[in-house]
Amino acid sequence: MSVEGNTRALEKTVVTDFSDRMSYGAYLDLDTLLSAQKPVSTPEHHDELLFIIQHQTTELWLKLVLHETLAARAALDADDIGTALKCVARVKHIQKTLTEQWSVLATLTPTEYSQFRDFLGNSSGFQSYQYRAVEFVLGNKNAGMLKVFESDPAAHEQLSTLLHQPSLYDAFWQSLARQGYEVPASAFDRDVTAAYTFNEDLMPLIKFVYENHTEHWAVYEAFEEFVDLEENFQLWRFRHMRTVLRTIGMKSGTGGSSGVGFLQKALELTFFPELLAVRTEIGR
C-alpha cells in the first residue's frame, strides 16, 4: 500500500470509539501522570520541567528495579536461579537507561539551574527512598539513613523492613548451600542489618567456580551477572557525580550534603566485593 499526500490512511479496523472501552490513556492513567509535574519557581522557569521529569522518570525506573531485585531474591529463596538471573538481566538494561538519562539533565547549564535552584528548598535526590531501598536489597545497608525518612511513615517502614531482611547476595549464598555447595558458615552468621563487607572465607569457593566454570556454569554466570550489576551501578553513580559537578561545581547539595565530595565517596561503596577480588587470584 502506498502513502499519498504524505498522509497515512486510517485502517478500518482501528478502534476509534472509547466510550465503553479502555483506552491507552486510561490504562496508563495519563491524566494523573502528566499532571504530576508542578514547577515551584516564580516566575516559572523554562528548565524546571526538565529537572522534574528527569527525577520523576528516575523514580519510575527505580520502582521497576526494586520490583525486579525483590523478585530475584524471592527466586533465589526458591532455588530458581534462572528466574533470578532473568530479573537481574532486566535490571541491567534499566541501569543503562538510567545512566544515559544523565546526559539529558547535563544539558541544563549552571546559569539555568541557578535561576530556580533556590526554590527547591532542601529537597534532594538524597531523599529518594526507592534508591535507598535498592541499595538495601543489594546489601549496601545503612541504618542511619532511616532518620531521613522519619517524616514519611510508609517509606520508613519499607526501609526498616528491608534493613532487617537478607540481601540479594545473602539469598544467593543460602541458595548455593541448599544446592550442596560448601558455603562457609560465616556467610550466614553476619548481621544482615549492617552493610555487607568482604568475606575472605568465600574466596576459595568463588575461585573454584571460576576455575571450573564448565561444570558450574549457572553459578559462574550468576557471578558475572552480579559483577555487571555492580559495574552498572557504579557507572550510574559516576555519571551522577559528574553531572552534579558540571551543573553546580563544588557547591553544597540542597539536602545539606557536601555535594560532589559526598557523591565521590559513594564510588567506594561495593555490593559484591569478593567477585571483584577474585580477579586478582585467577591464574595464580
Side-chain angles (χ1 to χ4, degrees):
M1 297 177 63
S2 60
V3 174
E4 296 182 6
N6 202 30
T7 301
R8 182 178 57 175
L10 196 64
E11 296 174 343
K12 293 181 179 180
T13 54
V14 172
V15 177
T16 58
D17 181 4
F18 294 96
S19 58
D20 60 353
R21 295 181 177 91
M22 180 184 291
S23 69
Y24 173 81
Y27 175 67
L28 296 178
D29 195 9
L30 289 182
D31 286 345
T32 300
L33 184 64
L34 299 179
S35 64
Q37 297 74 47
K38 299 179 173 64
V40 297
S41 55
T42 304
E44 182 178 321
H45 193 280
H46 171 82
D47 296 302
E48 190 180 355
L49 184 62
L50 159 64
F51 192 80
I52 293 171
I53 289 177
Q54 166 84 20
H55 290 83
Q56 287 183 339
T57 52
T58 295
E59 290 298 327
L60 286 172
W61 284 123
L62 286 174
K63 182 175 183 177
L64 186 55
V65 169
L66 185 58
H67 177 71
E68 296 295 340
T69 50
L70 289 174
R73 188 180 67 180
L76 290 174
D77 288 342
D79 297 330
D80 183 357
I81 194 169
T83 296
L85 294 187
K86 176 64 169 64
C87 294
V88 170
R90 180 172 291 167
V91 169
K92 286 164 52 179
H93 285 285
I94 298 168
Q95 288 177 309
K96 290 179 181 179
T97 296
L98 283 169
T99 300
E100 183 57 34
Q101 191 169 289
W102 287 117
S103 66
V104 183
L105 190 61
T107 65
L108 182 67
T109 69
T111 302
E112 291 164 346
Y113 185 41
S114 68
Q115 291 171 359
F116 67 85
R117 186 177 188 240
D118 288 345
F119 289 95
L120 304 180
N122 292 124
S123 63
S124 166
F126 178 81
Q127 298 143 18
S128 169
Y129 76 87
Q130 291 195 123
Y131 175 80
R132 298 302 167 198
V134 171
E135 283 194 322
F136 280 17
V137 174
L138 294 181
N140 186 212
K141 299 182 181 182
N142 184 342
M145 290 291 183
L146 267 65
K147 187 173 181 60
V148 178
F149 305 96
E150 288 180 348
S151 61
D152 186 342
H156 188 276
E157 181 179 1
Q158 181 183 32
L159 289 174
S160 180
T161 297
L162 292 173
L163 181 72
H164 290 86
Q165 292 176 342
S167 69
L168 178 70
Y169 204 35
D170 292 323
F172 176 71
W173 293 119
Q174 291 167 0
S175 178
L176 289 197
R178 289 191 295 270
Q179 294 175 52
Y181 285 89
E182 295 184 6
V183 181
S186 57
F188 312 122
D189 295 338
R190 76 181 200 87
D191 177 7
V192 298
T193 67
Y196 185 88
T197 56
F198 179 78
N199 184 352
E200 180 68 38
D201 297 343
L202 285 168
M203 292 300 289
L205 173 57
I206 296 172
K207 185 178 180 183
F208 170 79
V209 170
Y210 270 97
E211 293 177 341
N212 300 273
H213 60 275
T214 303
E215 297 85 359
H216 305 277
W217 187 264
V219 180
Y220 173 72
E221 183 182 16
F223 286 167
E224 287 298 286
E225 289 289 299
F226 287 158
V227 170
D228 286 345
L229 190 64
E230 171 150 344
E231 185 171 276
N232 287 346
F233 210 104
Q234 291 290 42
L235 288 172
W236 184 90
R237 284 170 166 164
F238 179 77
R239 285 298 300 273
H240 181 194
M241 183 270 293
R242 294 298 301 185
T243 301
V244 171
L245 179 62
R246 175 178 178 143
T247 309
I248 67 169
M250 299 304 292
K251 295 186 183 74
S252 297
T254 50
S257 75
S258 59
V260 168
F262 185 74
L263 296 176
Q264 285 177 323
K265 292 177 183 177
L267 296 174
E268 300 176 18
L269 303 177
T270 183
F271 298 118
F272 317 116
E274 300 86 5
L275 301 185
L276 295 175
V278 77
R279 267 83 179 145
T280 306
E281 303 299 323
I282 299 299
R284 282 189 173 181

